Amino acid sequence: MQALRRTRPWGAVYWNSWRRLLTQSCTGNENPELNSDVKHRIEAHWREQLSGGQFNPKDSKDKYYVLSMFPYPSGNLHMGHVRVYTIADSVARFQRMCGKNVFQPMGWDSFGLPAENAANQRGVEPASWTEQNIAQMKEQLKRLGCSFDWNHELSTCSPKYYKWTQHLFLMLHRHGLAYQNEALVNWDPVDKTVLADEQVDANGCSWRSGAKVEKKLLRQWFIRTSAYAKQLLDGLEDPTLRDWRDIINLQRHWIGECDGYAFNLLTSASGFLRVWTTHPEHLKDPHAFLVLRSNHHLSKLKSADSLSAENPFAGTTMPVVFSDEVTFPPKSDVYLAAPSFRSEDKDLWDSYGLAFTSNGTDEETLSPANWEMLRKEVLQAATRLNVGGYRVSSKLKDWLISRQRYWGTPIPIVHCQKCGAVPVPEEQLPVSLPPKDSPKEAFLCDCPKCGEKDARRETDTMDTFVDSSWYYLRYLDAQNSESIFDPALTKRFMPVDLYIGGKEHAVLHLYYARFMNQFLHSCGLSPTSEPFSRLLVQGMVMGRSFRVKGSGRYVPESEVEIVNAKKNQAVLKETKEPVVMTWEKMSKSKLNGVEPSDMFNEYGTDTTRLIILADVAPTSHRNWSSATFPGILNWQKRLWLTLQDFQEAREDQNASDVVPTSEEFLAEDAKLFDARNFYVKGATFNYRHAQQLSVAISKMQGLTNSLRRTPKHVLRHGKQFERALAAQIIMLAPMAPHFASELWSKFVAIPGRLNPASQELQWSEDVLAQRWPDIDPAYNLDLSIKVNGFENCVIKVQRTHLDKVTHSDALDIAFNTESVTSYLIDKKIRTTNFVLYPGIEAILNIYVDKAKKTQKPATTDDAEAQPQA
C-alpha cells in the first residue's frame, strides 16, 4: 500500500478518503444467469459508491480536467446526452486509474428561450420549470453512472452564477469592449428576439425557431470581439491544441484573414459606423469620405442626405454618400475613399461634387515616404481614443448580445436622461430578474451616478452564449461568493485537458469561449490564452426515420413494412404507399428517438454505455440499431461465464491436474503473458492517445477470446491467467463501472491467489481503486520505421529499452537496418519525425524525395552500343 500511495498525486490523508475498500458482491457465491434483473440488482448495489468524483483542488500535480459541454435542462436525457457523458466519464475514470487528479464537473446551461417558451405554454414561472427539470436530469445522470463532481455544480440561471456573468460584462465595459449602438438587426418574428448574424442559417432562417428572419433597426448591446480577432486567429496555431482537426478550419473561416483594420466612427445620426480598411493611413486624408451601399439602413434616415462621420485622425468631418458603384471590401457595406491617396477616389470626389474645408494638412505629409509613419499614428490614436484600430477581417462583426426576452442574464446597466448608460455598481450585483410580466415601474431606479429618480434599468437580457463563454473557469471555484473565481485555482488547473461536445458548437460557442478566455488572460485571470487543449467532437446519434413519399409525413416504424433494408425500401402497412427510409438525428418530431430510460430498463445502464461506445469511433455518427446489440450482450455473458469457470476451476477438489511446470502448461501460460500485454497495449493506446473507445472495446473482446480458450488446468494454476483476467476486469471498469465492480468482487473472493498483493493488484480494494494495467518490462514492443508514411519494417524492442529510445537512437537503428538502407539508396532524406508512446510503441517516419539522376554526356562507346534503327 505504501508503494501505491507514492504513485498517487495527492497526500495520504486525501488518499485514505478517496480509496474504495472492497465491497461485497451482491450475487455472492450464487451464479445466476446474467439477465436484465441481475444487471439491475448489480447497478442498484453499486450505484451510490460509484457516482462521485475524487478531485483534490489543493494539488495540481498530474491534474486532468475533462469537461463535457453542459446541457440545457429540458427535463429528460436523450441518447446524444448518453453518448457524450458516457465518453467523458469513461475517459475520466481511466485517467483516475492512471493516477491523475481528475476534475469532471457538471452544471446546467439553464437560461434561454426553450425554457421560457415551455414555461409559458404550461403557465408556470421559468425558474420553477427549470429547477424541476434540473432535479430530474440530475437523477438520470446519476443513473447513467457518471462520476461527476457535484460539489462544483453550477446553473447559469442562479443569481450566484449570473452575478459574475454581470461582473464580467462590467469588466468588458470598463475596457471599452461592451458598447451600445443602433444597428439593423436580425429579428426572429416567432421567438420575438434579436439573433446574432451567426444564428441565422444560409437560408435566412432562425437557428432555433426556423422562422424567416426579418431586419429591424434597434439599439443593441455588443461585445467588441473584433478587438481580439488577430489573437484568436493566431491562437489556432498554438502547439498545445490537439485533435482540433477541421475545427481549426471552421474557426479560421469564421474569423477570416485579418488583413485590415476596423474603426468605429461617430456619425451625425448619433451612432457608430464600422469602417474597415487595409490602409489606416488613408484616415489622415483631409479629403476622405465614406461610401455606403444604397440599401444601408442609414440611407432610410430623414437626415441621410446630410449624413457625416467624425474623423478624429484628420480632424475633419467626412461626408457620407450612398452608392453601389464602388468596390466594397468583402462582406462589408462601407467604403473608405481617400482622394489624396488614390486617383480613382479623387474622380469619385469630383463626381459627387463634395465640399471641402481644409484642416491645414500639408500635402507633402501624405507622400508615400510617410505612409508607414501615418499608419502608426492612426493606430496609436485609435487605441488612445478607443475607436478600434484592431487587425480584423472585413467580414467579422462584433458580437451582438442583446435579447428582448425575459429568461436571461439581466444586463447591468441603468439608463439616465442626464448621464446616459451607467454601469450598475459592483456592490449592487446581482441585478436580479424581476417576476415575469412585471409592470414597467419595476424597472425604475435611481441613477447610480447622479441620483436621478426616473432612471430605468436595461430591460434586455444577454445572449445565453455569454453564460457559456466562461463556465469552464467558474467550475473550479463554483461556490466562491467573493470573486468571480480564484486565479490561483485557474493557474493550477487550466487549461481544460479534454473538451467534449457536438460539432454544432464548433463555431459559435468555441469562438465566444476562446474570446472570453483571451480577454481574461489579458487581465491576468486565466493562465493560458487558449482554454481547451484537446477536443473530442462526438458524432450525433442517428435514428432510422420513415417518411411517406410525396407528403413527407413522418410515421413510426410500427406502421411500416420494410421491403429491402439495404436499399432503404419500405411501404406503409395499410396503404402500401412508398416510404423513404433514412438515418437522421434523433428527434421527437421525426418519431425516430429512443428514450434512454427504456434502454436502462430493458438492458441495464452499463450495457447501454457499452453499446453507445462500441462499433464506431466517438467522432463518427452512430446509427442506433438493435441489430448491433448482441455483440455487447454476448460479450458481457462471456465475461460472466469466465468468472464462473475460474471459480469452479479453483474450487474443484477432484481435478487431475497437469503439472504446472510441464512444457504444455508453460506454453499456455506464455500465450496468456503475450495476450495480456498485447491487448493491454491496444486498449491503453485507444483510451489514452487515439481515444477510439470502440477500438478499445475490440481489444478487450480479443483478450476475452484468449481467456475463454484457456484449458481448465491453466485456470486453476496459471499465474498469467489470473493476471490477464484481472487486467480484463480493470480495463472494463471505466466503461461499465457497476458490472466491473461486481466481477471484481467475485474475482477477489475466489481462493488460491497466485499473485500476491503488490503495486499491480490491490486485492483488498474495489476495481476503480486499482492501478491501470501496465506492460511487462520484458515484453517486446514495436519500433515501426516508415518511409513517407508507408511501413518499411517493424523492429521488436524490449519495453524497458523502448521507453528510453530517442529520435537519434531510432535513426541509428534505422540506418543499420538493411531493408531501410537498401530502400533509401537512391533517395534524398527531406526530414524525419519520431513519436514515442511509452509502454506502447514508437514510430520513426522518414520523409524522402527521389534523388535526381545526373545525365552523363554520351561517349563514343555509348553511341556504338545503341541499337540501330
Side-chain angles (χ1 to χ4, degrees), residues 27 30 244 337 363 407 423 515 808:
T27 56
E30 59 176 303
W244 281 54
E363 291 298 322
W407 192 235
F515 160 78
S808 177

Side-chain angles (χ1 to χ4, degrees), residues 183-420:
L184 194 65
V185 298
N186 305 304
W187 180 258
D188 185 326
V190 172
D191 284 335
K192 293 182 170 52
T193 191
V194 166
L195 302 172
D197 287 341
E198 356 7 317
Q199 295 170 328
V200 180
D201 67 20
N203 299 314
C205 297
S206 166
W207 73 306
R208 191 178 291 282
S209 73
K212 197 72 176 176
V213 170
E214 302 168 359
K215 290 293 183 180
K216 207 170 187 179
L217 192 63
L218 292 175
R219 194 159 181 79
Q220 301 286 283
W221 282 98
F222 294 82
I223 292 177
R224 207 183 305 276
T225 50
S226 59
Y228 283 80
K230 188 64 168 68
Q231 292 98 309
L232 291 168
L233 184 64
D234 292 345
L236 297 172
E237 303 294 331
D238 192 318
T240 64
L241 302 187
R242 297 173 58 204
D243 295 337
W244 281 54
R245 298 188 179 92
D246 58 330
I247 306 305
I248 293 279
N249 294 328
L250 291 174
Q251 289 279 306
R252 186 175 283 126
H253 177 74
W254 182 256
I255 296 166
E257 192 63 40
C258 295
D259 52 357
Y261 301 82
F263 301 86
N264 298 297
L265 304 183
L266 185 65
T267 69
S268 55
S270 300
F272 288 96
L273 184 65
R274 180 182 185 268
V275 178
W276 183 90
T277 178
T278 55
H279 298 284
E281 63 274 13
H282 289 183
L283 286 163
K284 281 288 190 176
D285 186 351
H287 299 255
F289 64 100
L290 299 174
V291 183
L292 276 60
R293 292 188 190 274
S294 58
N295 64 352
H296 193 283
H297 72 271
L298 290 177
S299 68
K300 298 173 176 60
L301 299 177
K302 291 180 180 179
S303 59
D305 292 339
S306 58
L307 192 66
S308 63
E310 296 297 324
N311 182 354
F313 310 105
T316 61
T317 299
M318 293 188 292
V320 175
V321 297
F322 296 91
S323 172
D324 295 323
E325 296 177 4
V326 299
T327 303
F328 290 93
K331 303 287 185 180
S332 179
D333 52 9
V334 179
Y335 174 79
L336 173 64
S340 300
F341 289 84
R342 284 193 293 238
S343 59
E344 59 267 35
D345 292 348
K346 176 67 168 62
D347 295 339
L348 272 176
W349 172 276
D350 294 336
S351 69
Y352 292 130
L354 296 173
F356 169 64
T357 304
S358 175
N359 68 344
T361 301
D362 184 352
E363 291 298 322
E364 263 194 41
T365 306
L366 305 180
S367 68
N370 294 326
W371 286 359
E372 187 61 35
M373 177 192 72
L374 294 175
R375 171 180 290 217
K376 289 180 180 177
E377 287 179 4
V378 168
L379 296 178
Q380 288 170 0
T383 301
R384 187 176 68 252
L385 298 170
N386 193 32
V387 293
Y390 310 112
R391 289 279 299 275
V392 66
S393 67
S394 61
K395 69 177 182 178
L396 186 68
K397 306 297 190 292
D398 285 336
W399 179 11
L400 192 161
I401 66 162
S402 288
R403 297 294 179 268
Q404 290 67 43
R405 295 304 296 247
Y406 168 75
W407 192 235
T409 298
I411 296 175
I413 292 290
V414 171
H415 295 281
C416 173
Q417 290 184 349
K418 290 183 180 178
C419 308

